[in-house]
Amino acid sequence: MIDFIRENMAPILFGGLVLFLLIGYPAAFSLAAVGLFGGLAAIELGLIGPQFLGNLTYQLYGVLSNELLLAIPFFTLMGVILEKSGMAEDLLEGFGQLFGGVRGGLSYAVIIVGAILGAITGTVAASVIAMGLISLPVMMRYGYNIRHATGVIAASGTITQLIPPSLVLIVLADQLQRSPGEMYIGATGASIVQVLLFMGWVFVLSIIRPQDVPALPPEARTLRGWALWKVIIRGTVPSLALIFIVLGTILLGLVTPTEAGAMGVVGALLLAWMNGRLTWAVTWGGMLSTMRLTAMVVFILLGARVFTLVFQGVGGGHWIEELLSNLPGGVVGFLIFVNIFVFILAFFLDFFEIAFIVIPLLAPVAESMGINLVWFGVMICANMQTSFMHPPFGFALFYLRGIVPRDKVKTTDIYMGAIPWLVLQLILVGLLIAFPQLVTYFLDTPVDVDLDTIHIVLPSTGGAETLPGFTAPPPPSFG
């Protein structure tokens, strides 16, 4: 029995972690507990030495000293402040009036505004709550199918996960040891395709079920001409300015994501102040939400480092590599397995837990198989979008359930409305596997140099046939 445990310590640790998570024990403490007890057991079994756990000090210090993770509280605070700033109202009003004359116009407006908010805030909760409070009553008033309305609002909020400067991309960049700028550039093509898929579904629905997405009646389109464009400009100009401050400066290499997040917070505070929405209650609520999310992320990451250290020490990395490298189908089989695995985990875990627990185990295998880790990270990010849309555990559905009237919107309507958009997210994952150029095209391609074509030409020495020689004095004699 002891020999069996010694030879299978890695799968036993992984199985123990899954068991704790299924029971419902907090992920951070599950990771730390399984890691510590597993480490003590491994020492007793002779798999690792007591001094091996001394590395834990350096691992935990590395987490707490990682400046990249400072971007998480900045982007969270910025998203919460922008939720209260009134910018979402201006955007939805302007684009709703602009597209209101066509079938599905309000849905197009929600998708576009969701993408804009995603490029500013980087947080799903702010987008879903803002659009749910503003657009859902209007969509219900003008006869939109309630399942479609709730689905498009929740899905448009989850675009935030894929559109830079997403928090998920920052976390994945840290776990994959790639720069956030590379992840942002790679995710650009994928996020554009996601928006087009969502808008394409609305277009199809407007043809096959026009009664579900009616156009606004003429009396509802009160803004025309300059008055309409004034509202659109009032919403889009501050948005574009914030997008440049947050995203443009990162892509241009002017600032780090942490510095861009800090500038974004200042911009969000100024915007809320200009709209008369900056109050102490808003600021305090934003800081409280930021503190809770940041504490959760840090504790999960600390626990993950404890578990990963012990897991790698008992040979878990080799066990995972042998398990996944020998799958039928080679690279394609590996990618299919990984996506199914992440999709199932998303029913039970949120994206932070998946990123901190699963990605460190999968990344070495992917790299050993020659997979571009930026593309791999964007594909996983697209898959992890589904964690917000999974009935019945999707957080976007929880956010929506918390703000919609229970007497008018049933929980089953929210769940059923999410299914078509969940399928569209999975279609995006398939497209990224079939066409990796959607990610890699935007990345810098390495410059190939043919060494046989290189000629080294020395400068002329004034007609001399040989280079001048240099003589050194003889070494001193020490007797």
Side-chain angles (χ1 to χ4, degrees):
M1 183 64 179
I2 298 298
D3 292 336
F4 175 82
I5 296 175
R6 182 183 292 110
E7 294 173 1
N8 296 277
M9 191 64 183
I12 290 173
L13 277 178
F14 190 78
L17 175 62
V18 173
L19 179 62
F20 270 90
L21 294 175
L22 290 178
I23 291 174
Y25 204 66
F29 304 120
S30 298
L31 287 161
V34 173
L36 288 175
F37 282 109
L40 295 176
I43 292 173
E44 290 297 324
L45 294 173
L47 294 174
I48 59 176
Q51 68 277 10
F52 181 80
L53 291 183
N55 295 313
L56 191 57
T57 305
Y58 301 100
Q59 293 285 329
L60 299 185
Y61 178 76
V63 173
L64 298 177
S65 61
N66 189 348
E67 293 185 2
L68 178 60
L69 296 178
L70 281 174
I72 293 175
F74 282 133
F75 282 118
T76 304
L77 180 58
M78 181 178 64
V80 176
I81 297 297
L82 285 174
E83 178 191 339
K84 310 292 185 181
S85 68
M87 185 175 62
E89 288 93 329
D90 293 337
L91 287 169
L92 283 169
E93 181 182 3
F95 283 105
Q97 293 280 335
L98 183 64
F99 294 107
V102 299
R103 291 172 181 169
L106 291 180
S107 298
Y108 292 130
V110 167
I111 293 171
I112 293 173
V113 173
I116 294 175
L117 291 179
I120 300 173
T121 64
T123 54
V124 175
S127 298
V128 174
I129 292 172
M131 292 190 296
L133 289 172
I134 301 164
S135 60
L136 185 60
V138 179
M139 299 177 85
M140 293 173 62
R141 185 185 312 138
Y142 292 108
Y144 272 67
N145 181 283
I146 190 61
R147 292 185 176 180
H148 169 76
T150 56
V152 71
I153 290 171
S156 300
T158 61
I159 297 178
T160 303
Q161 274 207 286
L162 190 59
I163 294 181
S166 163
L167 287 179
V168 184
L169 292 174
I170 293 176
V171 172
L172 288 174
D174 178 68
Q175 296 300 301
L176 294 171
Q177 298 182 356
R178 294 295 184 269
S179 72
E182 285 183 306
M183 297 295 294
Y184 287 169
I185 294 172
T188 301
S191 56
I192 292 173
V193 174
Q194 181 75 96
V195 172
L196 293 177
L197 281 174
F198 285 176
M199 297 181 74
W201 170 244
V202 175
F203 178 74
V204 171
L205 203 61
S206 67
I207 296 175
I208 62 176
R209 293 186 63 86
Q211 69 276 11
D212 288 351
V213 287
L216 291 181
E219 60 271 16
R221 302 196 299 273
T222 57
L223 296 178
R224 291 179 176 83
W226 172 243
L228 173 59
W229 288 106
K230 184 178 178 181
V231 173
I232 294 175
I233 291 172
R234 188 175 64 191
T236 54
V237 170
S239 303
L240 294 176
L242 271 179
I243 289 173
F244 175 77
I245 290 173
V246 175
L247 186 57
T249 52
I250 297 175
L251 297 181
L252 291 175
L254 301 177
V255 298
T256 65
T258 302
E259 295 166 341
M263 293 191 299
V265 171
V266 175
L269 291 171
L270 287 175
L271 188 59
W273 174 74
M274 291 169 58
N275 290 341
R277 304 286 186 90
L278 185 59
T279 63
W280 174 246
V282 169
T283 307
W284 177 255
M287 291 190 295
L288 194 62
S289 299
T290 302
M291 178 194 68
R292 288 174 176 170
L293 179 64
T294 305
M296 179 194 74
V297 171
V298 170
F299 273 104
I300 291 176
L301 188 50
L302 291 174
R305 286 297 176 91
V306 176
F307 175 80
T308 303
L309 177 68
V310 176
F311 186 75
Q312 296 289 351
V314 298
H318 297 293
W319 173 66
I320 291 289
E321 186 170 352
E322 291 178 3
L323 186 67
L324 299 182
S325 299
N326 297 322
L327 290 171
V331 174
V332 176
F334 168 74
L335 294 174
I336 292 174
F337 170 83
V338 165
N339 280 287
I340 293 175
F341 182 54
V342 171
F343 179 77
I344 294 174
L345 284 180
F347 276 98
F348 312 102
L349 305 178
D350 66 21
F351 66 91
F352 282 121
E353 294 166 343
I354 294 174
F356 292 145
I357 300 172
V358 178
I359 299 304
L361 304 180
L362 298 178
V365 182
E367 190 169 22
S368 69
M369 300 179 75
I371 296 175
N372 185 312
L373 288 186
V374 174
W375 171 78
F376 183 73
V378 173
M379 180 195 66
I380 293 295
C381 181
N383 195 329
M384 285 198 296
Q385 283 187 110
T386 61
S387 68
F388 279 88
M389 293 293 290
H390 274 312
F393 304 112
F395 281 93
L397 309 183
F398 289 159
Y399 300 146
L400 205 55
R401 175 72 279 176
I403 62 174
V404 299
R406 293 183 178 272
D407 57 332
K408 296 181 180 179
V409 181
K410 299 178 181 178
T411 302
T412 53
D413 290 331
I414 296 176
Y415 290 164
M416 295 302 294
I419 292 177
W421 307 95
L422 184 63
V423 173
L424 291 173
Q425 291 173 337
L426 294 177
I427 290 175
L428 174 64
V429 176
L431 289 175
L432 293 179
I433 295 176
F435 305 102
Q437 298 84 0
L438 293 173
V439 175
T440 58
Y441 178 81
F442 294 92
L443 298 172
D444 291 332
T445 55
V447 179
D448 294 326
V449 179
D450 186 359
L451 298 179
D452 295 331
T453 63
I454 296 178
H455 299 280
I456 301 176
V457 180
L458 296 176
S460 174
T461 59
E465 296 182 358
T466 59
L467 293 174
F470 297 93
T471 58
S477 175
F478 296 99

